[in-house]
Amino acid sequence: ARPALGDGPRLVPRAAEIIEESPGPGEKGDAGTGQGDAALGALEQDSAEIRLQFADATAEMRLGDAQPRRGPPEMQGLGDDDEAAQTDDIHFDTVSASIGILQFIGRLLGGDDTPAAKKGPGGHMSIGFRVRPRVVTSKALVDGLAGVPTSIASDNMGRLFAGGCGLRPLHRGGALLGAAFTVRTRPGDNLMVHKAIDMAEPGDVIVVDAGGDLTNAIIGEIMLSIAARRGLAGFVIDGAVRDTDHIGASPLPVYARGITHRGPYKDGPGELNGPVSIGGMPVMPGDIIIGDADGLLAVPQAEAAEVARLSREQMAREQAILASIADDSIDRSWVDATLKARGCAL
């Protein structure tokens, strides 16, 4: 039978008895006696009873919103305010005990469903403020794209994936090549960029989605110097930088959308090694980043070997064309043929 509401207090010592009888963490009941299983079964049975009682208590409390609570029939004729208040206190204590037992049993069974359990340290939700592990990219895949111009790689990716429009190289010259270590940060804040520099491995490119905002610089001379010392391959910043005299004299590639003298904040939030967008170009962690005077391109790992093969074949064809220009043997008949095929009157 379902326990009556007034039986709530008796369940408090009963729960204590069951918990005391139950095996502790990593313990087992006596061999062959089934004491551990029996205790757990009793705990589950009493837990079910408490949940039923809690449902009754909740329903009664809701009814209490519509009409005053009254004590048991034998107490209704007392007419004493103190005794009526005491009755309400007993009722409230019973419900409180039931709630407390439910919460304790929930924690005992490993099911803390309080809002704090779903939040990170300090009570903040971790979504939008988290550090994911670095994605490993094969060195062979990266090396396969060495020396491939962005224009030719783009040709062999359908000319759909070139991005970073508006970002320009600010270093003294030289190509960019490496695996993407991605950062998404609040515009004007570089806390997660500092963490990225500490986590990235030699040869990685720090790719920062700062929303294209130019209000505050994301990196400057100090961060660039740390990155160079750690052997990183360069930076792509969809945002602003500063200390451009130093950047301009450095061989470490830096691509950015703009320049400002205003420094950054270091508060967060931000995320490491998740998807980002750089001037409309999607970049995933581990993508291979190539950059030159023409711009930037992110090549997915799964397509890198094929893009490298097709690009080198095109590079060989273009070398043959350049040789035919040099010896005046180039055939330009394709121009008129194409115009006629398009319906142009010559």
Side-chain angles (χ1 to χ4, degrees):
R2 182 179 298 186
L5 183 62
D7 291 337
R10 74 173 178 81
L11 293 175
V12 177
R14 175 60 184 143
E17 292 172 9
I18 294 171
I19 293 166
E20 186 174 355
E21 294 167 5
S22 301
E27 298 178 357
K28 296 182 179 179
D30 294 340
T33 64
Q35 289 181 358
D37 292 340
L40 181 58
L43 178 60
E44 291 173 346
Q45 180 178 355
D46 274 52
S47 175
E49 292 179 357
I50 294 168
R51 291 177 189 276
L52 290 173
Q53 178 184 343
F54 178 61
D56 286 345
T58 303
E60 187 168 338
M61 289 174 71
R62 288 173 180 166
L63 287 174
D65 292 337
Q67 61 185 26
R69 290 195 213 97
R70 297 192 299 174
E74 63 270 22
M75 298 182 65
Q76 292 177 12
L78 292 176
D80 189 285
D81 290 342
D82 291 337
E83 291 187 79
Q86 184 177 7
T87 301
D88 282 349
D89 289 342
I90 293 172
H91 179 94
F92 181 80
D93 289 343
T94 300
V95 174
S96 298
S98 299
I99 295 173
I101 293 170
L102 278 175
Q103 291 174 338
F104 181 78
I105 291 175
R107 289 193 296 271
L108 183 68
L109 297 176
D112 188 357
D113 59 353
T114 60
K118 300 176 183 177
K119 297 181 179 181
H124 299 293
M125 296 298 292
S126 60
I127 296 175
F129 206 2
R130 53 191 169 190
V131 174
R132 298 183 181 90
R134 173 180 176 269
V135 175
V136 177
T137 303
S138 164
K139 186 176 184 300
L141 285 179
V142 176
D143 292 345
L145 287 164
V148 175
T150 56
S151 57
I152 291 181
S154 177
D155 285 349
N156 290 283
M157 294 177 67
R159 298 171 181 168
L160 295 175
F161 297 93
C165 297
L167 277 71
R168 64 183 189 273
L170 300 177
H171 55 290
R172 75 181 184 201
L176 171 66
L177 176 66
F181 190 108
T182 60
V183 182
R184 174 175 291 174
T185 185
R186 180 172 65 88
D189 192 288
N190 73 355
L191 176 61
M192 298 304 277
V193 183
H194 278 280
K195 181 61 176 176
I197 291 174
D198 290 344
M199 286 181 60
E201 296 290 335
D204 286 350
V205 177
I206 305 294
V207 180
V208 183
D209 179 355
D213 182 77
L214 303 180
T215 306
N216 299 85
I218 297 298
I219 67 166
E221 179 180 359
I222 290 177
M223 296 177 74
L224 189 72
S225 299
I226 296 171
R229 187 69 177 173
R230 291 180 58 84
L232 303 189
F235 286 92
V236 174
I237 310 288
D238 196 357
V241 299
R242 67 178 182 176
D243 300 329
T244 51
D245 284 346
H246 178 81
I247 293 174
S250 171
L252 188 68
V254 175
Y255 289 75
R257 185 172 291 278
I259 299 167
T260 181
H261 56 77
R262 283 188 293 262
Y265 298 98
K266 295 174 175 60
D267 302 311
E271 293 194 343
L272 298 187
N273 291 313
V276 298
S277 176
I278 303 297
M281 176 178 66
V283 181
M284 295 295 292
D287 282 358
I288 299 169
I289 305 297
I290 59 176
D292 53 28
D294 287 341
L296 297 158
L297 184 64
V299 182
Q301 286 195 49
E303 300 167 1
E306 181 69 0
V307 171
R309 182 185 68 80
L310 294 172
S311 296
R312 296 198 183 281
E313 290 176 357
Q314 181 175 336
M315 291 168 68
R317 291 193 301 271
E318 291 191 0
Q319 286 300 314
I321 292 172
L322 291 172
S324 69
I325 294 172
D327 63 15
D328 294 323
S329 64
I330 187 170
D331 180 6
R332 300 285 292 166
S333 61
W334 69 269
V335 177
D336 286 349
T338 302
L339 288 171
K340 290 178 181 179
R342 300 291 190 272
C344 179
L346 296 178

